[in-house]
Amino acid sequence: MPENRATTDVAGDLSAPATPARSAPAAPVTASTGGASAGAGAGAGAGSGADRPPLRARLRRDWPLLLMTLPAIGLLAVFYYVPIMGSVIAFQDYSPYVGIKESPWVGLANFQWLILDASFWDATLNTLGITTFQLFFYFPVPILLAILLDSVVRPRLRLFIQSVVYMPHFFSWVLVVTLFQQMFGGAGLISQILRDHGYEGLDLMTNPDTFLLLVTGETIWKDAGWGTIIFLAALAAIDQNLYEAAAVDGASRWKRLWHITLPGLRPVVILLLILRLGDALNVGFEQFFLQRDAVGRDAAEVLDTFVYWRTLLTGEWSYGAAAGLVKGVVGLILIVIANKVAHRFGEQGIYKKS
């Protein structure tokens, strides 16, 4: 939240007499009402898109921008939309040796086995528990960090802090887990310091009771700085005159934060919250896969690792596809519900209310 750094001079002195504004010359008034109706019709036509150029003209005008989006569209098509057609194997007894066409259809049998599988529900409960915990203790961290960074006055200091907090995002999970192991493991730095002072060592990396705190701390350290980018952009879009006017009226920093900064961030926060709810069953694979053996399956098994162990290692391709399809459908339902709730509170959400 920026400080009020404006200085009060003669022009800003409220006690100085205001300079009368020069009035604009009046527009000529026509006697007939046809001119007024024509002007109103022109304004209505402009507002309704009557002067919008045709599609061919817009394509001729915007073809460089469309050309720039082709690589991104190609990536989405190849890695997201084309694999969706492979979800049909969830309704088959699929075998990679005979292919999709020759694999027999089994209907909803894979989904019935999935519902009766206790390990699937254990992984689902673990996933929802981790998502809920991180929703309360990780999601607000990038918002608070963005507000703190925005309040830094010196540009060089702000750039240095941003570089420091952005850097862990580019580390792989292997490196992140290794760093935490060297700090919080049984032979880590903290344990050695405690033993040197006569205390018992600390080992958080193999303790299933503190695994939830561990993975949340790893996620905050790795991705909180990167998550501030969107919120910093939203803070930059807030009109700075609002802060100056509030400071002139005597509003404190907390009141400016509550009445200007947070309302300005609210649309972005709701949008990201909806997307996070839609991704509730996807908490990551590599982070939990690397630590699964250390804390045990009961603590670290999530849906992504469940699909891996039940699909790639056992060859039950249709069973894993059914689990992935359930994840996608549940995520879509959560997005729709969260978006409707956002409409009830007057926010646009992901898409406008029809």
Side-chain angles (χ1 to χ4, degrees):
M1 182 181 63
E3 287 282 353
N4 179 26
R5 296 186 287 271
T7 58
T8 305
D9 51 9
V10 176
D13 190 0
L14 299 180
S15 61
T19 304
R22 182 177 299 177
S23 59
V29 180
T30 57
S32 61
T33 59
S37 60
S48 61
D51 297 334
R52 188 177 184 183
L55 178 61
R56 180 177 299 179
R58 281 180 286 155
L59 291 176
R60 190 182 304 112
R61 179 193 62 190
D62 299 333
W63 72 266
L65 300 177
L66 297 175
L67 186 62
M68 292 173 59
T69 61
L70 286 181
I73 295 176
L75 289 176
L76 287 174
V78 172
F79 293 103
Y80 286 90
Y81 291 103
V82 173
I84 290 178
M85 296 184 291
S87 299
V88 69
I89 67 174
F91 304 93
Q92 294 178 324
D93 184 11
Y94 174 74
S95 174
Y97 301 101
V98 298
I100 296 178
K101 293 183 178 180
E102 302 297 331
S103 297
W105 290 87
V106 296
L108 300 177
N110 291 318
F111 297 94
Q112 294 176 356
W113 297 337
L114 197 66
I115 293 175
L116 298 176
D117 192 347
S119 59
F120 168 75
W121 291 108
D122 292 339
T124 302
L125 292 177
N126 277 345
T127 305
L128 292 177
I130 294 172
T131 299
T132 304
F133 188 84
Q134 293 186 355
L135 196 63
F136 286 99
F137 294 97
Y138 166 71
F139 187 81
V141 173
I143 303 174
L144 299 177
L145 186 58
I147 294 175
L148 291 176
L149 287 175
D150 189 68
S151 64
V152 177
V153 178
R154 298 182 180 180
R156 291 186 178 180
L157 180 59
R158 181 188 303 177
L159 181 60
F160 173 75
I161 297 176
Q162 288 179 353
S163 301
V164 171
V165 298
Y166 288 176
M167 189 179 301
H169 173 75
F170 301 98
F171 297 162
S172 67
W173 276 114
V174 176
L175 181 58
V176 172
V177 173
T178 302
L179 290 175
F180 271 75
Q181 176 69 35
Q182 296 299 321
M183 292 294 296
F184 302 103
L189 179 62
I190 295 180
S191 295
Q192 293 180 5
I193 294 176
L194 291 176
R195 292 191 186 99
D196 292 340
H197 290 79
Y199 297 98
E200 186 180 356
L202 179 67
D203 187 7
L204 296 180
M205 304 301 294
T206 59
N207 188 357
D209 296 331
T210 59
F211 180 72
L212 185 58
L213 297 175
L214 176 65
V215 294
T216 303
E218 293 171 349
T219 304
I220 291 175
W221 185 80
K222 185 177 187 297
D223 291 329
W226 185 257
T228 61
I229 294 178
I230 297 178
F231 297 108
L232 286 173
L235 288 172
I238 299 177
D239 189 1
Q240 301 301 311
N241 294 326
L242 297 176
Y243 292 105
E244 297 177 2
V248 170
D249 291 339
S252 63
R253 289 176 57 90
W254 292 108
K255 289 185 178 180
R256 280 176 277 169
L257 172 66
W258 183 260
H259 295 286
I260 300 177
T261 304
L262 294 182
L265 290 176
R266 186 175 62 181
V268 178
V269 171
I270 291 178
L271 175 62
L272 295 181
L273 184 60
I274 293 174
L275 294 177
R276 185 67 190 94
L277 290 176
D279 206 28
L281 297 182
N282 184 20
V283 293
F285 169 77
E286 189 175 359
Q287 180 186 13
F288 296 91
F289 178 78
L290 292 172
Q291 303 176 90
R292 184 177 184 270
D293 293 337
V295 297
R297 186 187 67 84
D298 294 337
E301 185 80 310
V302 293
L303 284 176
D304 291 332
T305 58
F306 169 81
V307 171
Y308 171 79
W309 291 106
R310 291 298 302 269
T311 301
L312 296 181
L313 297 185
T314 62
E316 299 179 6
W317 306 98
S318 297
Y319 193 78
L325 191 59
V326 169
K327 282 180 52 180
V329 172
V330 172
L332 177 61
I333 293 174
L334 290 176
I335 286 181
V336 173
I337 293 176
N339 205 72
K340 289 185 177 296
V341 173
H343 291 163
R344 291 293 182 90
F345 285 94
E347 297 294 337
Q348 178 178 339
I350 299 180
Y351 53 86
K352 294 183 179 180
K353 186 177 181 181
S354 59

